[in-house]
Amino acid sequence: MLVFAFACDPHRGSEPGAGAAIAKAAALVGDVTVLTRAEPGRDPAVDIPAACGVTRAVAIPSRAWEARLPVHVRYAAWCVRAAAWRRAHRTGSDYQVLHHATYASDWFLNPLMLLRKAPGEQWVAGPGGGATYPSVAIARAAAGGGVATLASELVRRWSTRASRRLMAARLRRRVDHALALNPDSRAELSRLGFPRVSVTSNAVIDYAALPLREDHRPGSAPRVLFMGRGTRWKGLPLLLRAAAHLPPDTVIDIAGPGTDASAYRDAAAALTHLRTPVTFHGSLPRDRALALLAATDALAFGSLHDSAPWAAAEAAALGVPVVCLDLGGVAMMAGEAARVVSTADADSLPRRFAEALVAAAAEDPSDRPRPTREFTLGALAETLGAAYMGAPVASPGIVRLRREG
């Protein structure tokens, strides 16, 4: 297998961590070459094989000045070079499988688009996402920002749909198996003509490394946590609007890069009804972030279009309820821990989100979600093995989602 993984680093989270997880899982199936990017102070040719068990890793170099460019521009340039590397190293049927694994948005450029498929090759793309589109009213209710939010959502909607159609026209007859991160993307890829589309996650959770859940003490104040990046569409503005409807003794913790921006601090300072001030933790080391997660009563995850957030799976593994919207892949990742809030009515969304948080935080211990252990390396390897061999992939089972009311 040749795995295209622009982002692949076993020592980092998010997309690099997903790339490393896919590389490890693929290595359980067969011989893997990972095609990735060169980075300062790191030798992927040594690092990735040692950490992921793959046969070898090849780093595609870039120009020094490219480091100043936005990441998606650097990724597009890498795609061109990765495809050129593949063409230069084509030796008959040397690779039986070509797999585009990371930055695998269902709407963006990927190296497979720039290659010709050789006879006998199996092409796999994903898991990818990006096909979740909230209504403009919901986007404004959850993300705030007024005209800026409206403009950004309209631009995102137009550009990604147009790009997805171009991608599908190029790949739908050549990709043997498309992996989608959630049902939204599966439906869109199927509509665009991909013959085989399955839903699967790229998550591999190290369950042994998770801390123990801290039990809520009777009579203590309920704790609510937001954990993620401080971009508006992640749902932090929704939590701050919902906080006006929370009990006055609620403890609110906010953690993640960009979450301590002045606009969020000012919005929190306006919540004069709260007896406990909102605590902004900013960026945290992973162990401290997990400790916060283990100590909270409910994770507030009102994201508008997250495809498959690992944090929701980690919360579920700890038995922490995840209050989310009926958008994207948050509820799928949280499983029985999901407490899903309908986006049918934008005006009442902050109040209903707050009510769901209060109910989740007050759940009796006997009624809490059972900790889940489904996102393992073996499960991902089984999924990839089936896709590589052209067999059907079992999509995640339909779980009972506990909705508001």
Side-chain angles (χ1 to χ4, degrees), residues 156-189:
R156 172 183 175 267
R157 191 167 305 196
W158 175 84
S159 61
T160 57
R161 281 179 168 159
S163 177
R164 189 180 293 110
R165 285 195 294 270
L166 291 173
M167 183 274 297
R170 181 74 176 162
L171 289 180
R172 61 190 166 205
R173 292 183 179 85
R174 296 188 292 165
V175 168
D176 299 281
H177 209 130
L179 301 174
L181 283 170
N182 56 55
D184 292 340
S185 288
R186 175 180 58 187
E188 185 69 5
L189 292 175

Short mmCIF file of all heavy atoms in Angstrom, two decimals, residues 156-189:
data_model
loop_
_atom_site.label_atom_id
_atom_site.label_comp_id
_atom_site.label_asym_id
_atom_site.label_seq_id
_atom_site.Cartn_x
_atom_site.Cartn_y
_atom_site.Cartn_z
N ARG A 156 -18.40 29.48 2.16
CA ARG A 156 -18.05 28.07 2.37
C ARG A 156 -18.99 27.15 1.60
O ARG A 156 -18.57 26.20 0.94
CB ARG A 156 -18.10 27.75 3.87
CG ARG A 156 -17.94 26.26 4.17
CD ARG A 156 -18.06 25.95 5.65
NE ARG A 156 -18.02 24.51 5.84
CZ ARG A 156 -19.09 23.73 5.88
NH1 ARG A 156 -20.30 24.26 5.77
NH2 ARG A 156 -18.97 22.43 6.04
N ARG A 157 -20.29 27.44 1.69
CA ARG A 157 -21.28 26.59 1.04
C ARG A 157 -21.07 26.57 -0.48
O ARG A 157 -21.06 25.50 -1.10
CB ARG A 157 -22.67 27.12 1.38
CG ARG A 157 -23.80 26.22 1.01
CD ARG A 157 -25.07 26.68 1.68
NE ARG A 157 -24.89 26.80 3.13
CZ ARG A 157 -25.89 26.88 3.99
NH1 ARG A 157 -27.13 26.85 3.56
NH2 ARG A 157 -25.65 26.98 5.28
N TRP A 158 -20.88 27.74 -1.08
CA TRP A 158 -20.73 27.81 -2.53
C TRP A 158 -19.43 27.16 -2.98
O TRP A 158 -19.41 26.36 -3.92
CB TRP A 158 -20.78 29.27 -2.98
CG TRP A 158 -20.52 29.41 -4.45
CD1 TRP A 158 -21.42 29.28 -5.47
CD2 TRP A 158 -19.24 29.68 -5.05
NE1 TRP A 158 -20.79 29.46 -6.68
CE2 TRP A 158 -19.46 29.69 -6.46
CE3 TRP A 158 -17.96 29.89 -4.55
CZ2 TRP A 158 -18.42 29.94 -7.36
CZ3 TRP A 158 -16.92 30.12 -5.44
CH2 TRP A 158 -17.16 30.14 -6.83
N SER A 159 -18.33 27.50 -2.31
CA SER A 159 -17.02 27.04 -2.77
C SER A 159 -16.84 25.53 -2.58
O SER A 159 -16.32 24.85 -3.47
CB SER A 159 -15.90 27.80 -2.05
OG SER A 159 -15.96 27.58 -0.65
N THR A 160 -17.27 25.01 -1.44
CA THR A 160 -17.04 23.58 -1.20
C THR A 160 -17.95 22.72 -2.08
O THR A 160 -17.53 21.66 -2.54
CB THR A 160 -17.24 23.22 0.27
OG1 THR A 160 -18.56 23.60 0.69
CG2 THR A 160 -16.22 23.93 1.15
N ARG A 161 -19.16 23.16 -2.33
CA ARG A 161 -20.04 22.38 -3.20
C ARG A 161 -19.51 22.36 -4.63
O ARG A 161 -19.52 21.32 -5.30
CB ARG A 161 -21.46 22.93 -3.16
CG ARG A 161 -22.22 22.48 -1.92
CD ARG A 161 -23.61 23.05 -1.87
NE ARG A 161 -24.40 22.38 -0.84
CZ ARG A 161 -25.50 22.89 -0.30
NH1 ARG A 161 -25.93 24.07 -0.68
NH2 ARG A 161 -26.16 22.22 0.62
N ALA A 162 -19.02 23.51 -5.11
CA ALA A 162 -18.47 23.55 -6.46
C ALA A 162 -17.21 22.69 -6.55
O ALA A 162 -17.03 21.92 -7.51
CB ALA A 162 -18.15 25.00 -6.84
N SER A 163 -16.34 22.79 -5.55
CA SER A 163 -15.10 22.00 -5.55
C SER A 163 -15.40 20.52 -5.45
O SER A 163 -14.74 19.69 -6.10
CB SER A 163 -14.22 22.44 -4.38
OG SER A 163 -13.05 21.67 -4.30
N ARG A 164 -16.40 20.14 -4.66
CA ARG A 164 -16.75 18.73 -4.51
C ARG A 164 -17.24 18.13 -5.83
O ARG A 164 -16.92 16.99 -6.16
CB ARG A 164 -17.80 18.56 -3.42
CG ARG A 164 -18.06 17.11 -3.03
CD ARG A 164 -19.11 16.99 -1.95
NE ARG A 164 -18.62 17.55 -0.70
CZ ARG A 164 -19.09 18.69 -0.16
NH1 ARG A 164 -20.03 19.37 -0.77
NH2 ARG A 164 -18.60 19.14 0.97
N ARG A 165 -17.99 18.91 -6.59
CA ARG A 165 -18.46 18.42 -7.89
C ARG A 165 -17.28 18.18 -8.83
O ARG A 165 -17.27 17.18 -9.57
CB ARG A 165 -19.44 19.41 -8.50
CG ARG A 165 -20.83 19.38 -7.85
CD ARG A 165 -21.84 20.10 -8.70
NE ARG A 165 -21.56 21.53 -8.78
CZ ARG A 165 -22.04 22.44 -7.94
NH1 ARG A 165 -22.83 22.07 -6.95
NH2 ARG A 165 -21.75 23.71 -8.09
N LEU A 166 -16.30 19.08 -8.83
CA LEU A 166 -15.12 18.90 -9.67
C LEU A 166 -14.34 17.66 -9.25
O LEU A 166 -13.87 16.88 -10.08
CB LEU A 166 -14.23 20.14 -9.60
CG LEU A 166 -14.78 21.42 -10.24
CD1 LEU A 166 -13.87 22.59 -9.94
CD2 LEU A 166 -14.94 21.24 -11.74
N MET A 167 -14.16 17.49 -7.93
CA MET A 167 -13.44 16.33 -7.42
C MET A 167 -14.15 15.04 -7.81
O MET A 167 -13.52 14.07 -8.26
CB MET A 167 -13.32 16.45 -5.89
CG MET A 167 -12.54 15.33 -5.21
SD MET A 167 -13.55 13.87 -4.80
CE MET A 167 -14.69 14.58 -3.62
N ALA A 168 -15.46 15.02 -7.67
CA ALA A 168 -16.22 13.81 -7.98
C ALA A 168 -16.14 13.47 -9.46
O ALA A 168 -16.03 12.31 -9.84
CB ALA A 168 -17.68 13.99 -7.56
N ALA A 169 -16.20 14.50 -10.31
CA ALA A 169 -16.13 14.25 -11.75
C ALA A 169 -14.82 13.59 -12.12
O ALA A 169 -14.76 12.76 -13.04
CB ALA A 169 -16.30 15.56 -12.51
N ARG A 170 -13.76 13.90 -11.40
CA ARG A 170 -12.45 13.34 -11.69
C ARG A 170 -12.25 11.95 -11.09
O ARG A 170 -11.54 11.12 -11.66
CB ARG A 170 -11.38 14.30 -11.14
CG ARG A 170 -9.94 13.90 -11.35
CD ARG A 170 -9.51 14.07 -12.77
NE ARG A 170 -8.10 13.78 -12.94
CZ ARG A 170 -7.54 13.52 -14.10
NH1 ARG A 170 -8.27 13.54 -15.22
NH2 ARG A 170 -6.25 13.26 -14.18
N LEU A 171 -12.87 11.68 -9.94
CA LEU A 171 -12.52 10.48 -9.18
C LEU A 171 -13.60 9.41 -9.06
O LEU A 171 -13.29 8.27 -8.72
CB LEU A 171 -12.08 10.89 -7.76
CG LEU A 171 -10.74 11.60 -7.63
CD1 LEU A 171 -10.48 11.93 -6.17
CD2 LEU A 171 -9.61 10.76 -8.19
N ARG A 172 -14.86 9.75 -9.30
CA ARG A 172 -15.91 8.79 -8.94
C ARG A 172 -15.83 7.47 -9.70
O ARG A 172 -16.31 6.45 -9.21
CB ARG A 172 -17.28 9.43 -9.13
CG ARG A 172 -17.60 9.87 -10.54
CD ARG A 172 -18.87 10.70 -10.56
NE ARG A 172 -19.04 11.40 -11.83
CZ ARG A 172 -19.73 12.52 -11.95
NH1 ARG A 172 -20.31 13.06 -10.88
NH2 ARG A 172 -19.85 13.12 -13.11
N ARG A 173 -15.23 7.48 -10.90
CA ARG A 173 -15.11 6.23 -11.65
C ARG A 173 -13.79 5.52 -11.39
O ARG A 173 -13.55 4.45 -11.96
CB ARG A 173 -15.27 6.50 -13.15
CG ARG A 173 -16.68 6.93 -13.54
CD ARG A 173 -16.83 7.13 -15.04
NE ARG A 173 -18.19 7.52 -15.39
CZ ARG A 173 -18.64 8.77 -15.37
NH1 ARG A 173 -17.82 9.75 -15.03
NH2 ARG A 173 -19.89 9.04 -15.69
N ARG A 174 -12.93 6.13 -10.57
CA ARG A 174 -11.61 5.52 -10.33
C ARG A 174 -11.38 5.12 -8.88
O ARG A 174 -10.60 4.21 -8.60
CB ARG A 174 -10.51 6.48 -10.79
CG ARG A 174 -10.56 6.73 -12.31
CD ARG A 174 -9.36 7.52 -12.77
NE ARG A 174 -9.39 8.89 -12.28
CZ ARG A 174 -8.35 9.71 -12.28
NH1 ARG A 174 -7.18 9.28 -12.71
NH2 ARG A 174 -8.45 10.95 -11.85
N VAL A 175 -12.04 5.80 -7.95
CA VAL A 175 -11.92 5.43 -6.54
C VAL A 175 -12.81 4.23 -6.27
O VAL A 175 -14.02 4.27 -6.48
CB VAL A 175 -12.30 6.61 -5.62
CG1 VAL A 175 -12.46 6.15 -4.19
CG2 VAL A 175 -11.23 7.69 -5.70
N ASP A 176 -12.20 3.13 -5.84
CA ASP A 176 -12.96 1.90 -5.59
C ASP A 176 -13.76 1.96 -4.30
O ASP A 176 -14.83 1.37 -4.19
CB ASP A 176 -12.00 0.71 -5.53
CG ASP A 176 -11.24 0.54 -6.84
OD1 ASP A 176 -11.82 -0.01 -7.79
OD2 ASP A 176 -10.07 0.97 -6.91
N HIS A 177 -13.21 2.68 -3.31
CA HIS A 177 -13.90 2.76 -2.01
C HIS A 177 -13.65 4.13 -1.40
O HIS A 177 -12.51 4.50 -1.15
CB HIS A 177 -13.41 1.67 -1.06
CG HIS A 177 -14.46 1.24 -0.09
ND1 HIS A 177 -14.78 -0.08 0.14
CD2 HIS A 177 -15.29 1.97 0.71
CE1 HIS A 177 -15.75 -0.14 1.04
NE2 HIS A 177 -16.07 1.09 1.40
N ALA A 178 -14.72 4.88 -1.22
CA ALA A 178 -14.64 6.17 -0.54
C ALA A 178 -15.10 5.99 0.90
O ALA A 178 -16.15 5.40 1.15
CB ALA A 178 -15.50 7.22 -1.25
N LEU A 179 -14.29 6.49 1.82
CA LEU A 179 -14.62 6.41 3.25
C LEU A 179 -15.06 7.80 3.71
O LEU A 179 -14.33 8.78 3.52
CB LEU A 179 -13.41 5.94 4.05
CG LEU A 179 -12.85 4.57 3.66
CD1 LEU A 179 -11.56 4.28 4.43
CD2 LEU A 179 -13.88 3.47 3.92
N ALA A 180 -16.25 7.89 4.29
CA ALA A 180 -16.80 9.15 4.75
C ALA A 180 -16.80 9.18 6.27
O ALA A 180 -17.06 8.16 6.92
CB ALA A 180 -18.22 9.33 4.22
N LEU A 181 -16.55 10.35 6.82
CA LEU A 181 -16.47 10.47 8.28
C LEU A 181 -17.83 10.50 8.96
O LEU A 181 -17.93 10.26 10.16
CB LEU A 181 -15.69 11.73 8.66
CG LEU A 181 -14.16 11.64 8.51
CD1 LEU A 181 -13.53 13.02 8.68
CD2 LEU A 181 -13.57 10.67 9.51
N ASN A 182 -18.88 10.82 8.22
CA ASN A 182 -20.21 10.87 8.83
C ASN A 182 -21.28 10.69 7.77
O ASN A 182 -20.99 10.71 6.56
CB ASN A 182 -20.39 12.18 9.61
CG ASN A 182 -20.18 13.40 8.72
OD1 ASN A 182 -20.81 13.53 7.69
ND2 ASN A 182 -19.28 14.28 9.12
N PRO A 183 -22.52 10.49 8.18
CA PRO A 183 -23.60 10.25 7.20
C PRO A 183 -23.81 11.38 6.21
O PRO A 183 -24.22 11.14 5.08
CB PRO A 183 -24.83 10.04 8.09
CG PRO A 183 -24.28 9.53 9.39
CD PRO A 183 -22.98 10.26 9.57
N ASP A 184 -23.55 12.65 6.62
CA ASP A 184 -23.71 13.76 5.68
C ASP A 184 -22.81 13.59 4.46
O ASP A 184 -23.24 13.74 3.31
CB ASP A 184 -23.38 15.09 6.36
CG ASP A 184 -24.37 15.48 7.44
OD1 ASP A 184 -25.50 14.95 7.40
OD2 ASP A 184 -24.01 16.28 8.30
N SER A 185 -21.54 13.28 4.71
CA SER A 185 -20.59 13.11 3.61
C SER A 185 -20.89 11.85 2.80
O SER A 185 -20.72 11.84 1.58
CB SER A 185 -19.16 13.08 4.15
OG SER A 185 -18.76 14.37 4.56
N ARG A 186 -21.32 10.79 3.48
CA ARG A 186 -21.68 9.58 2.74
C ARG A 186 -22.81 9.87 1.76
O ARG A 186 -22.76 9.48 0.59
CB ARG A 186 -22.11 8.46 3.69
CG ARG A 186 -22.61 7.22 2.94
CD ARG A 186 -23.04 6.11 3.87
NE ARG A 186 -24.10 6.53 4.79
CZ ARG A 186 -24.57 5.79 5.78
NH1 ARG A 186 -24.05 4.59 6.01
NH2 ARG A 186 -25.52 6.24 6.57
N ALA A 187 -23.84 10.57 2.21
CA ALA A 187 -24.98 10.87 1.35
C ALA A 187 -24.56 11.73 0.16
O ALA A 187 -24.99 11.50 -0.98
CB ALA A 187 -26.08 11.58 2.15
N GLU A 188 -23.69 12.71 0.40
CA GLU A 188 -23.26 13.59 -0.68
C GLU A 188 -22.40 12.86 -1.69
O GLU A 188 -22.57 13.01 -2.91
CB GLU A 188 -22.51 14.79 -0.10
CG GLU A 188 -22.12 15.85 -1.11
CD GLU A 188 -23.30 16.60 -1.70
OE1 GLU A 188 -24.45 16.38 -1.26
OE2 GLU A 188 -23.07 17.42 -2.61
N LEU A 189 -21.46 12.03 -1.23
CA LEU A 189 -20.60 11.29 -2.15
C LEU A 189 -21.40 10.26 -2.94
O LEU A 189 -21.14 10.06 -4.14
CB LEU A 189 -19.47 10.60 -1.38
CG LEU A 189 -18.42 11.53 -0.76
CD1 LEU A 189 -17.43 10.74 0.09
CD2 LEU A 189 -17.69 12.33 -1.82
#
